[in-house]
Amino acid sequence: AVVSLVARGAADNPPPLMVNPCQQAGSSFVKMPFCNASLSVGERVADMISRLTLDDKIKLMDRNGISLPKLGLNAYNWWEEATHGISPPRNSDRTPWETNFAFPITTGMSFNRSLWKATGQQIAREARAFANAGDEYSTFWTPVVNLAREPRWGRNIE
């Protein structure tokens, strides 16, 4: 089979992994400059960074970012994989299934560009759907892109 569906069977709806403090009606964050859409992106980022301590900034450099209650932000995991589907997903009643595609080494050696594009588009749709449902982060990596004949990449099946 080229495609398989995987259900991990969560029977509840846990709280979302990501939140936007600027869209939480009635929260104190809505009135902060970093939530003011009339300001430039630079001004908003400068305001947000000014609220971080040096310790906060150092801890945010890890792939498992810390939560920042003073900014209304949950912890964030910067390493989610999308090599052959979103991984590892957090399944819930909102997102009980995800597609598990063949490894890139297999699809790559097919030399079927329309298959590559369709696979990538589906992974992107599922990633956005899971993120919108609060069951996934929004940063995905796909480290294996070379074909088996490419000698510079030795760990092809990963």
Side-chain angles (χ1 to χ4, degrees):
V2 174
V3 177
S4 64
L5 295 176
V6 179
R8 301 209 198 299
D12 61 342
N13 288 318
L17 294 172
M18 296 189 312
V19 296
N20 183 341
C22 301
Q23 294 181 346
Q24 296 174 354
S27 79
S28 60
F29 305 108
V30 174
K31 295 179 181 162
M32 291 187 171
F34 68 83
C35 286
N36 184 346
S38 68
L39 297 177
S40 72
V41 171
E43 291 171 308
R44 294 170 73 185
V45 169
D47 176 67
M48 191 174 254
I49 290 174
S50 74
R51 297 172 188 278
L52 300 175
T53 66
L54 178 60
D55 189 53
D56 291 337
K57 293 172 187 174
I58 291 169
K59 288 178 179 172
L60 285 170
M61 293 177 71
D62 186 26
R63 74 178 183 98
N64 293 313
I66 60 170
S67 64
L68 296 166
K70 60 186 160 194
L71 298 178
L73 298 173
N74 294 344
Y76 189 88
N77 180 353
W78 291 96
W79 184 264
E80 297 293 323
E81 186 185 326
T83 303
H84 58 93
I86 57 172
S87 177
R90 182 177 83 169
N91 297 102
S92 71
D93 290 342
R94 297 179 298 253
T95 54
W97 305 94
E98 78 279 352
T99 310
N100 189 1
F101 292 94
F103 276 95
I105 188 171
T106 308
T107 56
M109 288 190 298
S110 74
F111 295 94
N112 182 338
R113 291 176 186 230
S114 60
L115 174 63
W116 305 339
K117 184 175 181 177
T119 300
Q121 288 174 330
Q122 183 60 27
I123 292 170
R125 275 190 295 274
E126 289 184 19
R128 177 54 61 193
F130 270 69
N132 287 345
D135 287 335
E136 194 58 83
Y137 297 100
S138 63
T139 307
F140 292 89
W141 301 88
T142 54
V144 182
V145 295
N146 296 318
L147 301 176
R149 64 185 169 88
E150 173 53 68
R152 292 173 293 178
W153 190 268
R155 298 163 60 186
N156 285 311
I157 196 63
E158 233 179 330

